Amino acid sequence: MKALSRLLTSIRPSASNLKFKAILPSIHNLRQISSVSPHPPPDNLMEKVDTSSRLEKLRGLMRASEVDVYIVPSEDSHSSEYIAPCDARREFISGFSGSAGCGVVTLEQAALATDGRYFNQAEQQLDANWLLLKQGLPEVPSWQDWACEQSQGGKNVAVDATLLTARDAKNLDEKIKKKGGAGLSGLLDNLVDKVWGDSRPARPAGQIIVLAEQFAGIPFTDKIAEIRNTLESKKSPGFVISMLDEIMWLYNIRGSDIPYNPVSFSYTVITPTDATLYVDSSKLSKEVLDHFGSHVKIRPYDSIFSDVEALSSSITLDESNYDSNKWLVSNKASWALVQALGGFDRVEILRSPIEDSKSIKNETELNGMRNCHIRDGAALIEYFAWLEAELVGGAVLDEVDVGDKLESLRKTKEHFMGLSFPTISSTGPNAAVIHYQPQKGSCATVDLNAIYLCDSGAQYLDGTTDTTRTLHFGEPTEMERKAYTLVLKGHIALSKAVFPKGTNGMALDTLARQFLWSEGLDYRHGTGHGVGSFLNVHEGPIGIGTRPQYAEIPLAIGNVISNEPGYYEDGSFGIRIENVVMVKEAETEHHFGVNPYLTFEHVTMVPMCRKLTDVSLLTSVEKKWLNDYHAEVLAKTKSYFDEGSQALKWLERETSPIE
């Protein structure tokens, strides 16, 4: 919780003249929340969807609303990366189902921007109506720049103001005007929802559970007390929190509204005297209400905007002190939320102190991550041993069949609560699709003589797992072995890294890529992301990669993060090796300066693939690391298997020392 006191300097924009067309009435009349299971995935994830009719209807609505350019973000009103089916607007309008991207529709064209993880998938899913903007490639504009180009000549650009952060809205409005556009407007209704109509899934209303202190480690009242210390130091009347995982972590609760992410649709407002949770009360059992006691007030979810508008209006700004009496909101807060609070002059926008605190796990959470990864590793070991035996024995199994088998093994483990994301079970060329998701009826049969990549994870009461292993059950090619070993060398280099306190993830990224770079190879995704504790498998603010935000936040003791370099040859094969690691203090012979040195502790307990490892490319230091790692995997997981069992024999073979 120490990080709750570490706040970044906020921006101080002047009052904005952004257009905001009656957004509040539409928010006050949100559709009634009802319980619903997630809608089934499409019959074939990689099939193109004919979007002609959808775009025609959308453009008709745009003309009626005097909109020339309409932005369709991926996120929901809480800036979530992973969303509920009812919020999959960008997927509905474009046909692209990847988790990252933004659609921009004009009266004549439509563009979809996404990053390197999804280039292959987007090319397969987008129909001829869409232009693919491959973000990060030379000469390719960002979606913001493309939208601004389309706005020239005084054209109107619009967005649902609940789906864009306040900062992004302000910056985009300024860029549009510089390009000669009329500016950015927030519309009354979401136009894609109108096109979607009655077929749009209902908003989920899953039950909320209490996360016992034996798993959370800290009482929620202590966390609220730290926020109030921040309010006092900032002379702020309150903190309005909109990120779902932050709210779950703050109150030691978990939900089930978004598939694979144990969160519930909610907002919360913390003031010096009150803590108010905005949530559908039907989600709250007596156990949850008893957990809250007198410390938390409950208000309807859709009352948040009218309530904060009233709260903000009751506070008088001190014109002699610019920073006082300003509401705190995170840099992920929506434009609509900031407008409800009175606009940019009434708020201080900052990186959420809750996000910082949540990313630094307490000792209970760290122990939970160690323990759940051992159990999860045992499930993966049993799975890989079974899969190899089945394939060698001539079984015909598709990518979905084997993924279901893995889930069934995980379900037997203590504290299992579900998967942490859809299992990426991919054979041969499908492994080159970085976020591939197989679908029954159209997926491939697992090929004994091709690479098999499995990226999977689970939610346990004591932690969240995310493990990728690439295997070959036949005879790999020379290039497959070389590529795998180069990725393994990068994985080892990052795992062994020792670095001074204050080092950020961008600085460490080259360690994982260096051996691929030496061969003129690379991969188009980050090297690591933060991992939640029985929360979102992708957790900010830390990461390892080239994203600008990774240069802003140094890694700290207690961070939990992935180490996952890879290599992909489109149409042929893909390789990724992923362990979850925790930042800890390093034991060094010398102690230069006053700051400690840091390193990583790996918690994932699954062997690397012997068949794909070209030992001749490993140094003696790398061989020792691999042997030490395998010895630890064997020691920590072997008790889960019976003597002489298929799984134990496979484990002992895969972890035997190399020379």
Side-chain angles (χ1 to χ4, degrees):
M1 291 299 299
K2 293 179 180 177
L4 277 171
S5 300
R6 299 199 300 269
L7 295 172
L8 292 184
T9 304
S10 67
I11 64 169
R12 298 183 179 182
S14 59
S16 173
N17 62 351
L18 301 186
K19 289 173 287 183
F20 199 75
K21 297 184 180 177
I23 186 73
L24 295 178
S26 72
I27 294 170
H28 296 162
N29 294 295
L30 288 172
R31 68 162 64 197
Q32 184 176 358
I33 298 174
S34 61
S35 179
V36 65
S37 298
H39 70 277
D43 292 336
N44 187 345
L45 181 79
M46 306 308 286
E47 281 186 352
K48 286 180 169 60
V49 175
D50 185 352
T51 62
S52 300
S53 175
R54 297 174 186 180
L55 287 171
E56 182 181 1
K57 291 177 182 177
L58 177 59
R59 286 172 174 139
L61 294 170
M62 290 167 60
R63 292 186 183 95
S65 301
E66 299 182 348
V67 172
D68 301 294
V69 182
Y70 190 65
I71 297 167
V72 188
S74 293
E75 295 79 12
D76 61 15
S77 300
H78 302 270
S79 202
S80 305
E81 177 184 8
Y82 293 102
I83 55 177
C86 62
D87 290 317
R89 300 176 178 92
R90 188 225 59 223
E91 177 180 349
F92 170 79
I93 200 65
S94 71
F96 169 64
S97 62
S99 66
C102 185
V104 181
V105 179
T106 75
L107 296 176
E108 297 83 23
Q109 301 180 76
L112 186 286
T114 191
D115 62 48
R117 295 171 296 169
Y118 296 107
F119 290 171
N120 192 322
Q121 179 177 334
E123 286 173 342
Q124 295 184 51
Q125 289 186 316
L126 294 176
D127 69 5
N129 290 301
W130 291 84
L131 168 69
L132 175 58
L133 303 177
K134 296 183 176 182
Q135 303 298 273
L137 295 189
E139 311 301 322
V140 177
S142 66
W143 69 261
Q144 294 94 332
D145 288 340
W146 194 85
C148 290
E149 289 291 338
Q150 308 310 308
S151 75
Q152 294 183 66
K155 293 180 180 177
N156 294 312
V157 182
V159 69
D160 177 341
T162 68
L163 304 183
L164 202 63
T165 70
R167 259 186 197 172
D168 286 347
K170 182 177 185 297
N171 292 337
L172 183 57
D173 180 67
E174 293 172 352
K175 291 181 71 172
I176 290 169
K177 289 174 180 175
K178 285 182 180 179
K179 279 289 185 179
L184 182 66
S185 300
L187 293 187
L188 173 66
D189 297 304
N190 188 291
L191 300 186
V192 174
D193 289 352
K194 287 188 171 184
V195 175
W196 212 340
D198 293 339
S199 62
R200 182 185 174 216
R203 183 171 292 279
Q207 290 296 294
I208 290 174
I209 64 170
V210 175
L211 185 65
E213 199 171 314
Q214 72 178 95
F215 302 115
I218 299 175
F220 78 87
T221 50
D222 288 1
K223 300 176 183 180
I224 291 175
E226 286 293 333
I227 293 177
R228 287 178 173 147
N229 289 340
T230 299
L231 295 179
E232 183 178 0
S233 67
K234 288 280 186 179
K235 295 182 174 58
S236 169
F239 186 13
V240 182
I241 304 159
S242 58
M243 292 294 288
L244 302 182
D245 61 333
E246 294 182 9
I247 296 168
M248 299 298 105
W249 178 87
L250 176 65
Y251 288 116
N252 291 346
I253 55 177
R254 297 295 186 267
S256 55
D257 282 350
I258 296 181
Y260 312 104
N261 296 266
V263 298
S264 183
F265 285 110
S266 54
Y267 292 90
T268 195
V269 179
I270 307 296
T271 71
T273 57
D274 293 318
T276 305
L277 177 64
Y278 291 82
V279 68
D280 181 351
S281 61
S282 68
K283 299 178 180 182
L284 305 176
S285 65
K286 183 178 183 301
E287 180 188 11
V288 176
L289 293 174
D290 289 345
H291 168 70
F292 290 151
S294 61
H295 303 288
V296 183
K297 297 178 179 179
I298 306 299
R299 291 279 294 152
Y301 174 78
D302 55 1
S303 295
I304 179 64
F305 290 91
S306 57
D307 279 11
V308 299
E309 186 177 21
L311 280 170
S312 182
S313 298
S314 69
I315 303 295
T316 302
L317 281 177
D318 182 356
E319 295 183 0
S320 65
N321 187 345
Y322 185 90
D323 288 326
S324 68
N325 286 340
K326 290 195 170 188
W327 291 88
L328 304 184
V329 296
S330 89
N331 52 15
K332 303 289 181 63
S334 72
W335 180 23
L337 194 59
V338 168
Q339 290 293 331
L341 284 164
F344 289 94
D345 283 344
R346 301 300 299 264
V347 301
E348 180 177 342
I349 300 176
L350 41 77
R351 191 175 81 240
S352 172
I354 297 177
E355 184 179 43
D356 286 357
S357 293
K358 178 167 54 63
S359 74
I360 300 175
K361 283 23 178 200
N362 60 56
E363 199 55 44
T364 297
E365 292 170 321
L366 293 174
N367 284 330
M369 294 295 276
R370 294 183 183 102
N371 294 333
C372 75
H373 277 85
I374 293 172
R375 298 193 304 274
D376 198 66
L380 280 161
I381 289 164
E382 186 174 358
Y383 168 63
F384 291 137
W386 167 85
L387 180 56
E388 179 181 270
E390 290 292 306
L391 295 176
V392 171
V396 178
L397 300 166
D398 67 34
E399 294 163 324
V400 171
D401 292 335
V402 298
D404 290 345
K405 173 67 175 181
L406 175 55
E407 183 175 1
S408 73
L409 293 172
R410 280 189 162 117
K411 284 180 177 178
T412 67
K413 300 299 180 259
E414 185 181 20
H415 302 320
F416 176 83
M417 298 297 288
L419 300 183
S420 55
F421 57 95
T423 296
I424 300 172
S425 171
S426 52
T427 185
N430 290 340
V433 182
I434 296 172
H435 277 198
Y436 174 75
Q437 187 181 338
Q439 301 296 327
K440 192 66 177 176
S442 61
C443 63
T445 299
V446 180
D447 186 350
L448 173 70
N449 296 306
I451 269 181
Y452 175 69
L453 186 153
C454 181
D455 186 347
S456 66
Q459 298 285 6
Y460 299 91
L461 287 171
D462 53 350
T464 301
T465 68
D466 183 2
T467 303
T468 307
R469 287 295 182 266
T470 306
L471 301 96
H472 203 298
F473 303 112
E475 292 300 324
T477 67
E478 181 180 347
M479 181 57 192
E480 288 171 340
R481 295 182 75 235
K482 182 175 184 178
Y484 179 90
T485 308
L486 293 174
V487 171
L488 176 60
K489 288 167 70 71
H491 179 93
I492 293 171
L494 183 56
S495 185
K496 283 176 53 60
V498 177
F499 47 94
K501 180 181 178 182
T503 301
N504 60 58
M506 182 180 283
L508 296 176
D509 183 60
T510 57
L511 296 176
R513 298 179 191 266
Q514 59 181 309
F515 302 103
L516 288 165
W517 284 356
S518 70
E519 299 284 339
L521 305 174
D522 203 352
Y523 50 94
R524 290 193 179 104
H525 60 73
T527 298
H529 56 82
V531 180
S533 180
F534 185 28
L535 267 176
N536 297 358
V537 71
H538 289 176
E539 179 178 88
I542 58 166
I544 298 173
T546 57
R547 292 184 180 184
Q549 62 264 38
Y550 294 162
E552 299 172 1
I553 305 108
L555 299 183
I557 294 172
N559 285 156
V560 178
I561 196 167
S562 67
N563 171 4
E564 51 179 311
Y567 174 70
Y568 312 89
E569 283 198 4
D570 288 350
S572 184
F573 66 88
I575 292 163
R576 187 161 62 253
I577 301 172
E578 178 183 19
N579 278 2
V580 169
V581 297
M582 306 192 303
V583 181
K584 67 175 185 176
E585 186 168 348
E587 296 180 4
T588 57
E589 180 180 356
H590 304 286
H591 300 278
F592 179 82
V594 296
N595 287 330
Y597 280 70
L598 308 180
T599 190
F600 296 112
E601 171 190 345
H602 47 249
V603 294
T604 302
M605 292 292 135
V606 183
M608 305 298 178
C609 181
R610 294 182 70 85
K611 274 192 176 181
L612 282 168
T613 303
D614 185 345
V615 177
S616 69
L617 297 179
L618 299 180
T619 67
S620 59
V621 172
E622 291 165 342
K623 292 176 185 177
K624 182 180 186 306
W625 182 94
L626 191 57
N627 285 335
D628 289 346
Y629 176 69
H630 280 160
E632 184 180 0
V633 171
L634 177 63
K636 290 183 174 179
T637 62
K638 65 181 180 181
S639 64
Y640 285 86
F641 312 114
D642 294 333
E643 192 66 36
S645 66
Q646 174 180 272
L648 184 58
K649 289 178 180 178
W650 185 90
L651 172 63
E652 290 174 338
R653 186 193 76 199
E654 292 297 306
T655 58
S656 60
I658 59 173
E659 297 180 359

